[in-house]
Amino acid sequence: MTRPAPADATVRAARRPVTADALQETANHRTNTERAMNVPHPPGRPHDVAVPPRRSGRFRRTARALALAASLMASSAAVTGCTASAEADALRTPCGLVIDGSGSGAAGSQGFDAEAKLKSTLVPFLTDRSCGTLAFAPVTRSSQTSSCRVADVDLDPPADETTDRDSLRRSVRVVAIQGALTMLKCARTQGGSDVLGALARIGDAMPSGKETPSLLVVSDFEQADKEFTLRVGEIGTEESRERAVDTLLGARGVPGIAGMDVYPVGYGMRHDARPSEYRPFDAFWTEILSRRAKAHVHDDYRK
């Protein structure tokens, strides 16, 4: 039997039918070759392995910016919280002290002891009223023009977050007491008892603002100056009191303490034991302080 020529064998191989197994084998071989060469899959062919997309430089920069912004917002919220707490705790009331340097304020049975009453009431007053500042005015023979002057005290000075605010406030209250004693010492050298002038002076010293001023008046309210002397025996009737009030206020005017809170200490002590004297005395000053000057008078520290 004669063996066919090689060319005929090639022709016969080419004419053999192509099976499904042969196609799959060819596809597998191509896929393996592409993987080895890192060739992308042709369109339409599913990925065998999910590879996370690479993030661009812009994306990374944006992410870092967002993280920084979040950190800054958190820090700002913390600082705002501390600031809000400090503001809520701030001492805002403008306060004033009137201290009587007349002879009736001396210690002993004949006086109401202005110094003792000052020392026992000033700090409670400053604390209870949340005083942020304190101004001073003396009761002398001519209170408004008196040369006795003491600088205002800031009772709530600024401080950083590491400062013990309570300790700092206690320290400045000591300064306030020293200022008050200095004012009292000076007032005692000038004599006289112009209570109305002292009220006018402290009223003028109060700053205008939203907070209502509080005034501590350490005085027995015995008006006695060169132009007017209060005599209880002369104000026993309503008509006589009206005349006395008009005389006192006539040339001087009403003190500018409208709406302010007034806390007397030592008020009317010379007349406490005699109701017949105290009633006209109290009516006289009630007319001036509450009705004419329109102040709010309180008894919290009256002794």
Side-chain angles (χ1 to χ4, degrees):
M1 183 174 179
T2 306
R3 185 174 296 177
D8 295 335
T10 302
V11 171
R12 284 197 302 274
R15 289 177 180 175
R16 284 186 300 191
V18 180
T19 65
D21 291 339
L23 288 174
Q24 184 62 50
E25 182 181 355
T26 302
N28 291 340
H29 175 73
R30 179 180 300 170
T31 299
N32 292 333
T33 302
E34 291 171 352
R35 286 175 178 170
M37 298 177 63
N38 197 26
V39 177
H41 290 281
R45 182 143 56 110
H47 293 278
D48 293 328
V49 180
V51 181
R54 296 181 62 189
R55 295 181 177 179
S56 67
R58 178 182 297 177
F59 181 89
R60 290 193 297 272
R61 288 193 297 271
T62 301
R64 285 196 297 269
L66 290 173
L68 177 60
S71 175
L72 291 174
M73 289 176 67
S75 299
S76 176
V79 171
T80 301
C82 292
T83 302
S85 176
E87 289 180 354
D89 191 41
L91 305 179
R92 294 187 173 89
T93 306
C95 294
L97 171 66
V98 173
I99 182 69
D100 195 334
S102 67
S104 62
S109 59
Q110 299 302 315
F112 69 93
D113 201 345
E115 183 173 342
K117 286 180 171 49
L118 170 67
K119 290 178 178 178
S120 66
T121 57
L122 181 56
V123 171
F125 167 76
L126 297 177
T127 305
D128 296 344
R129 310 272 72 82
S130 298
C131 295
T133 58
L134 182 65
F136 304 87
V139 175
T140 66
R141 61 178 177 267
S142 181
S143 301
Q144 282 188 289
T145 60
S146 170
S147 59
C148 295
R149 299 193 179 275
V150 173
D152 294 1
V153 177
D154 183 352
L155 297 169
D156 194 19
D160 58 35
E161 59 185 9
T162 63
T163 301
D164 184 340
R165 297 190 67 84
D166 290 337
S167 177
L168 178 61
R169 288 170 177 174
R170 285 193 296 269
S171 298
V172 294
R173 284 170 188 156
V174 171
V175 174
I177 294 173
Q178 292 171 344
L181 292 174
T182 298
M183 178 63 83
L184 175 59
K185 182 179 179 180
C186 179
R188 283 176 168 171
T189 66
Q190 298 187 356
S193 185
D194 178 17
V195 180
L196 189 73
L199 292 171
R201 177 165 164 174
I202 200 64
D204 292 342
M206 291 297 97
S208 59
K210 295 181 180 179
E211 300 297 327
T212 301
S214 290
L215 310 177
L216 183 69
V217 185
V218 183
S219 173
D220 57 2
F221 282 74
E222 295 295 334
Q223 181 77 26
D225 57 60
K226 291 183 177 180
E227 296 179 342
F228 182 94
T229 298
L230 178 62
R231 296 181 174 88
V232 175
E234 298 176 358
I235 56 172
T237 65
E238 184 175 350
E239 293 77 14
S240 61
R241 283 195 300 273
E242 287 287 335
R243 287 195 301 269
V245 169
D246 291 340
T247 300
L248 176 59
L249 299 180
R252 312 184 195 202
V254 176
I257 55 175
M260 299 185 189
D261 293 312
V262 177
Y263 299 86
V265 180
Y267 176 90
M269 288 191 66
R270 288 179 57 184
H271 313 288
D272 278 352
R274 300 181 178 87
S276 61
E277 293 183 6
Y278 183 82
R279 281 196 295 268
F281 173 89
D282 184 50
F284 175 86
W285 281 108
T286 298
E287 177 66 25
I288 292 176
L289 298 174
S290 300
R291 296 192 179 94
R292 305 281 183 102
K294 301 187 183 305
H296 305 297
V297 182
H298 307 274
D299 295 333
D300 299 51
Y301 311 100
R302 186 176 295 190
K303 296 181 180 181

PDB file of all heavy atoms in Angstrom, residues 204-216:
ATOM      1  N   ASP A 204     -23.765 108.887  89.417  1.00  0.00           N
ATOM      2  CA  ASP A 204     -23.031 109.337  88.224  1.00  0.00           C
ATOM      3  C   ASP A 204     -21.883 108.403  87.875  1.00  0.00           C
ATOM      4  O   ASP A 204     -21.462 108.333  86.709  1.00  0.00           O
ATOM      5  CB  ASP A 204     -22.478 110.747  88.460  1.00  0.00           C
ATOM      6  CG  ASP A 204     -23.574 111.801  88.542  1.00  0.00           C
ATOM      7  OD1 ASP A 204     -24.699 111.518  88.084  1.00  0.00           O
ATOM      8  OD2 ASP A 204     -23.305 112.896  89.072  1.00  0.00           O
ATOM      9  N   ALA A 205     -21.364 107.674  88.860  1.00  0.00           N
ATOM     10  CA  ALA A 205     -20.219 106.781  88.624  1.00  0.00           C
ATOM     11  C   ALA A 205     -20.620 105.447  88.004  1.00  0.00           C
ATOM     12  O   ALA A 205     -19.767 104.706  87.507  1.00  0.00           O
ATOM     13  CB  ALA A 205     -19.481 106.520  89.941  1.00  0.00           C
ATOM     14  N   MET A 206     -21.911 105.146  88.000  1.00  0.00           N
ATOM     15  CA  MET A 206     -22.359 103.860  87.463  1.00  0.00           C
ATOM     16  C   MET A 206     -22.387 103.874  85.938  1.00  0.00           C
ATOM     17  O   MET A 206     -22.918 104.819  85.330  1.00  0.00           O
ATOM     18  CB  MET A 206     -23.757 103.521  87.994  1.00  0.00           C
ATOM     19  CG  MET A 206     -23.803 103.206  89.485  1.00  0.00           C
ATOM     20  SD  MET A 206     -22.840 101.748  89.953  1.00  0.00           S
ATOM     21  CE  MET A 206     -21.296 102.489  90.511  1.00  0.00           C
ATOM     22  N   PRO A 207     -21.822 102.855  85.289  1.00  0.00           N
ATOM     23  CA  PRO A 207     -21.832 102.806  83.821  1.00  0.00           C
ATOM     24  C   PRO A 207     -23.217 102.483  83.295  1.00  0.00           C
ATOM     25  O   PRO A 207     -24.017 101.815  83.970  1.00  0.00           O
ATOM     26  CB  PRO A 207     -20.851 101.670  83.509  1.00  0.00           C
ATOM     27  CG  PRO A 207     -20.935 100.773  84.706  1.00  0.00           C
ATOM     28  CD  PRO A 207     -21.154 101.688  85.883  1.00  0.00           C
ATOM     29  N   SER A 208     -23.511 102.982  82.114  1.00  0.00           N
ATOM     30  CA  SER A 208     -24.787 102.648  81.475  1.00  0.00           C
ATOM     31  C   SER A 208     -24.636 101.311  80.765  1.00  0.00           C
ATOM     32  O   SER A 208     -23.590 101.003  80.206  1.00  0.00           O
ATOM     33  CB  SER A 208     -25.179 103.738  80.471  1.00  0.00           C
ATOM     34  OG  SER A 208     -24.178 103.876  79.481  1.00  0.00           O
ATOM     35  N   GLY A 209     -25.653 100.509  80.815  1.00  0.00           N
ATOM     36  CA  GLY A 209     -25.595  99.191  80.181  1.00  0.00           C
ATOM     37  C   GLY A 209     -26.836  98.394  80.503  1.00  0.00           C
ATOM     38  O   GLY A 209     -27.818  98.911  81.050  1.00  0.00           O
ATOM     39  N   LYS A 210     -26.797  97.094  80.174  1.00  0.00           N
ATOM     40  CA  LYS A 210     -27.965  96.247  80.365  1.00  0.00           C
ATOM     41  C   LYS A 210     -28.161  95.845  81.822  1.00  0.00           C
ATOM     42  O   LYS A 210     -29.282  95.601  82.265  1.00  0.00           O
ATOM     43  CB  LYS A 210     -27.824  94.988  79.497  1.00  0.00           C
ATOM     44  CG  LYS A 210     -27.823  95.267  78.005  1.00  0.00           C
ATOM     45  CD  LYS A 210     -27.703  93.972  77.221  1.00  0.00           C
ATOM     46  CE  LYS A 210     -27.697  94.241  75.711  1.00  0.00           C
ATOM     47  NZ  LYS A 210     -27.550  92.979  74.935  1.00  0.00           N
ATOM     48  N   GLU A 211     -27.065  95.742  82.581  1.00  0.00           N
ATOM     49  CA  GLU A 211     -27.152  95.270  83.950  1.00  0.00           C
ATOM     50  C   GLU A 211     -27.560  96.403  84.901  1.00  0.00           C
ATOM     51  O   GLU A 211     -27.073  97.528  84.789  1.00  0.00           O
ATOM     52  CB  GLU A 211     -25.817  94.676  84.399  1.00  0.00           C
ATOM     53  CG  GLU A 211     -25.349  93.497  83.548  1.00  0.00           C
ATOM     54  CD  GLU A 211     -26.299  92.312  83.632  1.00  0.00           C
ATOM     55  OE1 GLU A 211     -26.905  92.118  84.708  1.00  0.00           O
ATOM     56  OE2 GLU A 211     -26.436  91.595  82.634  1.00  0.00           O
ATOM     57  N   THR A 212     -28.429  96.092  85.843  1.00  0.00           N
ATOM     58  CA  THR A 212     -28.890  97.075  86.827  1.00  0.00           C
ATOM     59  C   THR A 212     -27.840  97.245  87.921  1.00  0.00           C
ATOM     60  O   THR A 212     -27.449  96.266  88.558  1.00  0.00           O
ATOM     61  CB  THR A 212     -30.209  96.627  87.465  1.00  0.00           C
ATOM     62  OG1 THR A 212     -31.196  96.472  86.444  1.00  0.00           O
ATOM     63  CG2 THR A 212     -30.685  97.634  88.491  1.00  0.00           C
ATOM     64  N   PRO A 213     -27.387  98.476  88.168  1.00  0.00           N
ATOM     65  CA  PRO A 213     -26.392  98.698  89.222  1.00  0.00           C
ATOM     66  C   PRO A 213     -26.951  98.411  90.613  1.00  0.00           C
ATOM     67  O   PRO A 213     -28.147  98.580  90.870  1.00  0.00           O
ATOM     68  CB  PRO A 213     -26.035 100.179  89.065  1.00  0.00           C
ATOM     69  CG  PRO A 213     -26.408 100.523  87.662  1.00  0.00           C
ATOM     70  CD  PRO A 213     -27.616  99.698  87.374  1.00  0.00           C
ATOM     71  N   SER A 214     -26.060  97.979  91.500  1.00  0.00           N
ATOM     72  CA  SER A 214     -26.399  97.763  92.901  1.00  0.00           C
ATOM     73  C   SER A 214     -25.524  98.662  93.757  1.00  0.00           C
ATOM     74  O   SER A 214     -24.314  98.743  93.540  1.00  0.00           O
ATOM     75  CB  SER A 214     -26.178  96.297  93.294  1.00  0.00           C
ATOM     76  OG  SER A 214     -27.130  95.450  92.679  1.00  0.00           O
ATOM     77  N   LEU A 215     -26.148  99.333  94.748  1.00  0.00           N
ATOM     78  CA  LEU A 215     -25.440 100.297  95.582  1.00  0.00           C
ATOM     79  C   LEU A 215     -25.540  99.890  97.044  1.00  0.00           C
ATOM     80  O   LEU A 215     -26.648  99.686  97.564  1.00  0.00           O
ATOM     81  CB  LEU A 215     -26.036 101.701  95.407  1.00  0.00           C
ATOM     82  CG  LEU A 215     -26.228 102.210  93.970  1.00  0.00           C
ATOM     83  CD1 LEU A 215     -26.904 103.576  93.986  1.00  0.00           C
ATOM     84  CD2 LEU A 215     -24.894 102.265  93.243  1.00  0.00           C
ATOM     85  N   LEU A 216     -24.384  99.778  97.704  1.00  0.00           N
ATOM     86  CA  LEU A 216     -24.346  99.540  99.138  1.00  0.00           C
ATOM     87  C   LEU A 216     -24.073 100.885  99.807  1.00  0.00           C
ATOM     88  O   LEU A 216     -23.029 101.510  99.559  1.00  0.00           O
ATOM     89  CB  LEU A 216     -23.244  98.532  99.480  1.00  0.00           C
ATOM     90  CG  LEU A 216     -23.139  98.126 100.954  1.00  0.00           C
ATOM     91  CD1 LEU A 216     -24.358  97.295 101.359  1.00  0.00           C
ATOM     92  CD2 LEU A 216     -21.856  97.333 101.209  1.00  0.00           C
TER      93      LEU A 216
END
